[in-house]
Amino acid sequence: MNRNIVSRFACLMLFALGITSCKKYLNVNSNPNVAQDATVKTLLPAAQLLVGSSAGVELQIYGSFWAQYWTQNPGASQFHFLDQYSAPQTQFSVPWINLYAAAENFYQLYNLADSQKKKQYMAISLLMKAYTFQVITDAWGDVPYRQALKGQFSDGNVANPKYDSQMVVYNGIIANIDSAFKLLSTADPVHPKTDDLIYGGAMGQWKKFGNTLLLKIYLRMSNINPAAAQAGVVALYATNPSFIGPGDDAVIKYGFNSSNRNPLFADEVGVNQAQNLVASATTVDSMNSNNDPRLNVFYEPLASGAFVGIPQGYYQTSFSSGTFSIPSVYVAGDAGDGNSAKAPVNLLTSYESLFLQAEVSALKWANVGQDSSLFFQAINANFNYYAAAIAATTGMTVTGALSAYLSANGLWVRYPATGTVTQKLRYIITQKWFAMCGNQGFEAWTEWRRTGYPDFLVYSQSSIIGKSFPKRFLYPTEESTTNANYPGLAPLTSKVWWDLF
Amino acid sequence: MKNNMKRLCLLFVLLLSAGIQAFAQNTHTVTGKITDEKRQGYPGAGITLKGTHTGTVSDINGDFMLEVPDGSNVFIIQAVGYQTVEVREAEQIVNVQLQPKSKELEGTVVTALGRRGEKRELGYNATTLNAEDLTAGQNTSALSDLQGKVAGANITSSTGGPGGSTRVVLRGEKSILKDNNALIIVDGVITNNHDRTLANVLEQVDFGNSANDIDPDEIESVTVLEGPAAAALYGAAGANGAIMITTKHGRHSTSGKNTKTDITYKMSFTMSDVLKYPEYQTRYGQGALYAGITDDRGDNFSWGAPFDNVVRPWGQAISGKQLVKPYSDQANSMRQFYDHGRDLNNFVSLSGGDEHSTYFLSLNSINSNGVVPNTFYNKYSVRFNGTTQLSNNFYSSINVNYINSYSRVENGGQNSGSVMQSLLQIPTDIPIGQLRNLNSKFNSMDFIDSAGIHRYGYFGAFSPNPFWAAKYYDNRNKTDRVLGDFVIGYKKCDFNVYDRVGLDVADDRSYYKTPQVNVVSADQTIYYPSFGYNNAGGYNQINFTNLNFYNDFIGTYIHQLSQNFGINALVGNNVTMRHGETLAVNIDPKTNGLVIPSFYNFSNNQGPVDASNAISDHRTWALYADVRFNYQREIYWEVTGRNEWSSTLQTGHNSYFYPGTNAAWVFTERLNGTTFKEKVLNYGKIRVGTAGVSSDAIPYANNNAGFTQSSINSSFGSIKPPFNSVPAYQIQSTFGLNSLKPELTREWEIGTDLSFLRDRLTASFTYYNDLTHNLITPVPLPPSSGFLNSYINVGDISNKGIELSLRGTPVATKWGLKWDLFGTYTHNVNNVESLVGGVNQISVGNTFSGMSIVAAVGHPYGTFYATDIKYWNGHAVVDQATGLPVPTDKPVLRGSFQPKFQASWGTDLSYKGIKLHMLFTTKQGGQFYDQNKSLMDFVGSSQETITNNRNPYVWANSVYQVGGTNNYLPNTTKFLPYTYWTSIEGSNVVPAQMLVNASYVRMQELALSYKIPRKYYQNTIFGGLEAGIFGNNLLLWTAKSNKYDDPEEFSSGATGNAQGFNFSARPSLRNYGAFIKVMF
């Protein structure tokens, strides 16, 4: 008697019940609740939205607190941990999970596009994966890279990806961008369209994105490895690159619908529109002293028209509501105003691009025109980017607002065209910091970590670790409790690789 | 596998040869009927030919038929709870009426597949409870009724109130992935046990689990088969042991054709109160002194000045008016929030029958109001059981149970509108009772002022009025369920062939209403933040349809082969189909919202309505055989085998065999006639058994990652594409190994049942040892792998333990006084033996606030894993500058939710119809993670926050680290307690500090009842009268350090595995009441 006979006997019983085939009877284990395949057109927006969510919510909030644009409303405690410099690991779980999920989906997109010979999708996925990994490593330092994203059995089931040094990650993403450029140069009849939420499939703009991203990557290495950074910049400029300029900004635009609203606003709705985010005096005082019209763009004025910030981390209710400013709808910071839903999430902007070029020029690493000119172009680009907001809040044109700003008795617009590199850098990065107020908070905090500018940030009054600043994100518990190769906790105050400041 | 098939084959051969031998006898047939004290047919009585070991068991009508050698024979009749009778055969007929007697270890028992057998046959441990023992505490849940009565069972009743969740785990957790609850079997058919709870760790709405649908009053007896040995014939479903429920059946009297119908009516009324309230500090009230704030009237902090009893205004100033009260402790005013729960339980049953047919019909209703305002639980059920014997040897039976329940419960966890969260955020000086009137502007969450602005007047700025939350967050569940089984059989002499169809069909709908609110504070001064309460309002409906279908085709053969040797064989085939469909439609307040407030309809949506569906199909078929041999009613040997094919595993891995064998030796048979047996040990049995039980995967676990429509989630927000009509699909975060193997539990057990001094002292002892291999589990992956979970065969878990039951009768007088003492002791050692692939541990549920509940190698299942305060050689390590403790670099393992041991002890005192029953239970040595403690520490209401009068002090026995060296020096820096409780412990920086000792002693049941003797109403219509008072879950003693919650409350639902976790779960209840029972 062998198994077949037993099996057939069992089968007979099924016949008695009107079930026609044993195989068919048991063949019900293909999950009907998920799609078995995706298309490149559905993976690309999903991955871009995941990046947009991290960049727009946690990176924006944490960066804007630690770059001292924003502080916690003393009337509540949601983000008090950021001002206390005592963040539990769990507060870093969501951005870590979302950024790695984004990278995984870019990786899946690359493989799918590769198998279908869709080279432009391959290129975009490589560029976005590089962007994503730079954010990951700039936030957390050493992170899984070479062995990352390969969890599936078909990819080798790497369940405990090893942590790579930040330098390895940087070299990897530079190589990614180079590979993307090779794919971009290929004529390809299949273009992404509306499914590319950033450029709508405009490959020329993706090329500019890649160039600007490379510039950002090399300059980040300017202190830790100046030789390599300079060599990279020189090689880049040798290709006669075009960079992101006004109109090329890499942003995701959001709208009023629950399905397309700004993720920071969605997050605020998630806590019942509590106004946790308020203006920090560090930024507001400084902008006030410069008569910066962008105060109107980045913050809501008081009834008096004045802008008032709370000292960073000041956690006492002697400031009552109505006596301090809150971030504006243009940076999705006004939780109670539905217009916050429309704010875009900035990934790589024209003003960022111009500030990077100004820095290259100041360093004299490449012959790219006047650094002072690029410096003012960058400020101009920032005003331009917020032209509509300036018009709506002040009634001024960009030209009017800019000339008012430049002619005002402000310190930070008097660019030391003949000064030292250090003096110039102080102006470039400080102006970059003004420009990124609440709209590229993570990048501003990151550049402060690299350069020490602006040099007037203060210790949070709530700091429970005394006179130190946070210098990195903590590895989340999802990583420390599951990865056998987890290297141990790096404290909040420990520096990442390129941070020599 | 081929070997296994050979063994199966051998069984068939044995069966055939047994049949051939039967013709060699020189015999005649004796028929008869066994009836109980009410002269109703008694099923399952054991009938033995005296002096031999020939025997059989009476059928459902009490009838039996036995081949015996020619001559005049004497029979011994035995039945559980009845005296043993000897009768002589008269004209080939034996009719016996049984007389009740005290409990003992002999009698009949219901085992796998609903077979009745004699308890002495069993080579494994099984506990049988009759209706009276089961329902002594009058709990509305049959599962909670088992508490303290079954050695080897770990029973957790979350609330103790009607409709709450109850979890029953037998002999320890064996699976990381799957439900570890015991299989619930009603009249031989598997029933579905699913959580109606909306439970992720953050949000719970606990509608209970469906196993609690069965009404305890309908139950005749419950047999708990603790080990897999006992349940091997149920296949994968029986891997966790089984609870076999036998419902009441009709019986017909044997006295003539005029059959009498028995009518029973029972009514009970129960009151409920919260059993344990958190213990508050009583010295400081509302405020945040240490943040420099003296007047903090909107705050949830009790970090204010010491009480001075001075009358001061509090709460919002509305139109210039403000309430006043003394600034003093409110003495745990949380009590003022809860009502007395009330529960009215009505039960009526009719039973009767004639020679050919029986019927039983019962109607049951439970109408109850919960302790939280506006909550209720109503259940109506109907049961019909009928049997009929046709003239041509065919018979059939029907059991049908229809259940309708309708309940409303409050929000728990971190849900907006969580009642417990709101309560815990009320400072210690606020009189909660005064918040009840929602028409008062000072309590209102939404009123319109003279300028037309919507405002709230409630004092709290951070969490809503709990009375308002309880009223407007409206969660309801409606269930219609039919379960039953239908049998058609043919029985002739030794052969019985039948087909049984089992059905469990449920339509389960849950409705969740979230009120729309958009208000600012009435008091626009600096005391209230500029933001108010905003919620777009929402409506969520989840329909769950479940169909479980079972078909068993079974043949049995019972034959006495010779004077000494008998065989009882069964072969069968089973087909199982389980189909579930969930359809969820949601207007999510966070991504969508209501247009018109308070209009809960899916047309009332601001954005696209979110709809999702999930289908689950699980199918198996199986062949099985069970052969029992007996020798001289002294030695019993059983061999079982089952081969199962499952849909959830790949071909090649989806066929698995379960072997099992067990033996019992009633060694006191060797002592027949001795004084020792007569006077000392009247019954003794040694048993030994072993079995293997395989278990398949859940549906789709072995699938590759598919693609799902994205849901882009930030910390608190969510965006659901299509995004500007661009659809977005992302890869699933979970996938499985295609070639998953079945889980396999191998168990052996050895035990003994002893009865001394003519049953005055009985004891049952079992040692078991089981090992589960190839556990199928979604292993959490580091997110850097690109995924969050993968299903693999991950490792082995062992459970070893002892089960001990004792019962003694120190006093039993001739004039009717009887005193019984009884108890159980359970000790289970659970250990995760090994995990594959370099994995040290696996999370068994969601991580919350940095706390994971894990299965870690070398530790028990359900060990807590979290960051704790750092220790160096037993000293707490603090920061030299601040004096505050430093967290560990990596999470650490700290204790588990598994109790070290469980015990129960009880007593019954009876005298002429009066009975006093008392039962205590205890669990010792486990821990639970109490998020309520964290919240109380944060807001400053827990007692530990007033250490040293809240002045700075030096952390006890602390050291600080010198630089980065391994050098530590004693610390003298004082820390500010406020900073520690609010920013470190209360902010979950060291989640391991939230673990609380879960040990307890509980007065589980206390009941006094009186059966009025018949002589007082002999000539009336009444056939019996009984009344009593009762209580269950009456008193609780917890560890001294547990000043928070009943450790049995849980937030993960009954079928979730992340137990030992309380995040604002429903409070457990003390129940007490009275009942009256009338029989006609």
Side-chain angles (χ1 to χ4, degrees), chain A residues 44-81:
Chain A
L44 178 60
Q48 286 181 342
L49 285 172
L50 284 164
V51 176
S53 180
S54 301
V57 186
E58 293 84 11
L59 294 173
Q60 189 72 275
I61 295 171
Y62 296 11
S64 291
F65 267 68
W66 289 341
Q68 306 193 356
Y69 301 133
W70 300 344
T71 187
Q72 170 64 44
N73 187 336
S77 59
Q78 191 80 51
F79 300 113
H80 193 40
F81 68 92

Side-chain angles (χ1 to χ4, degrees), chain A residues 10 13 25 29 31 33 35 42 58 75 78 84 90 98 105 149 151 159 258-261 267 272 316 320 479, chain B residues 291 462 526 534 576 590-591 615 619 621 700 702-703 707 713-716 719-720 724 729 731 782 784 983:
Chain A
M13 296 309 304
Y25 171 72
N29 204 39
N31 191 343
N33 305 310
T42 55
E58 293 84 11
Q78 191 80 51
Q84 290 179 304
T90 47
N98 277 347
N105 281 285
L149 314 179
S258 60
S259 58
N260 71 359
R261 61 188 169 200
D267 201 72
N272 299 326
Q316 299 185 14
S320 61
E479 198 69 25
Chain B
F462 303 107
I526 61 168
N534 290 290
T576 295
K590 291 188 176 170
T591 57
I615 296 169
R619 294 178 179 178
W621 86 66
Y700 323 129
N702 66 351
N703 281 206
F707 295 87
N713 298 318
S714 62
S715 300
F716 298 97
I719 302 171
K720 291 214 170 90
N724 292 331
Y729 269 66
I731 192 160
S784 57
S983 298

Side-chain angles (χ1 to χ4, degrees), chain A residues 161-183:
Chain A
K162 283 206 175 79
Y163 281 62
D164 288 310
S165 75
Q166 211 172 354
M167 191 170 73
V168 168
V169 182
Y170 263 65
N171 290 338
I173 60 180
I174 289 167
N176 274 176
I177 297 169
D178 289 341
S179 309
F181 284 164
K182 289 185 189 116
L183 292 159

Side-chain angles (χ1 to χ4, degrees), chain A residues 223 448-455 471 495 498-501:
Chain A
N223 293 334
W448 167 80
R449 286 186 290 160
R450 174 173 72 100
T451 63
Y453 302 125
D455 49 13
K471 290 298 187 86
K495 294 174 176 178
W498 42 251
D499 184 356
L500 296 183
F501 176 73

Side-chain angles (χ1 to χ4, degrees), chain B residues 316-342:
Chain B
Q316 302 202 36
I318 305 175
S319 313
K321 288 183 194 142
Q322 204 178 359
L323 299 175
V324 294
K325 65 162 179 61
Y327 181 63
S328 56
D329 178 49
Q330 281 295 321
N332 216 348
S333 73
M334 193 188 275
R335 286 165 200 277
Q336 299 162 13
F337 176 77
Y338 291 101
D339 297 336
H340 291 295
R342 287 181 180 82

Side-chain angles (χ1 to χ4, degrees), chain B residues 75-87:
Chain B
F75 295 89
I76 299 165
I77 318 295
Q78 293 173 306
V80 66
Y82 292 92
Q83 287 170 8
T84 302
V85 187
E86 285 191 16
V87 286

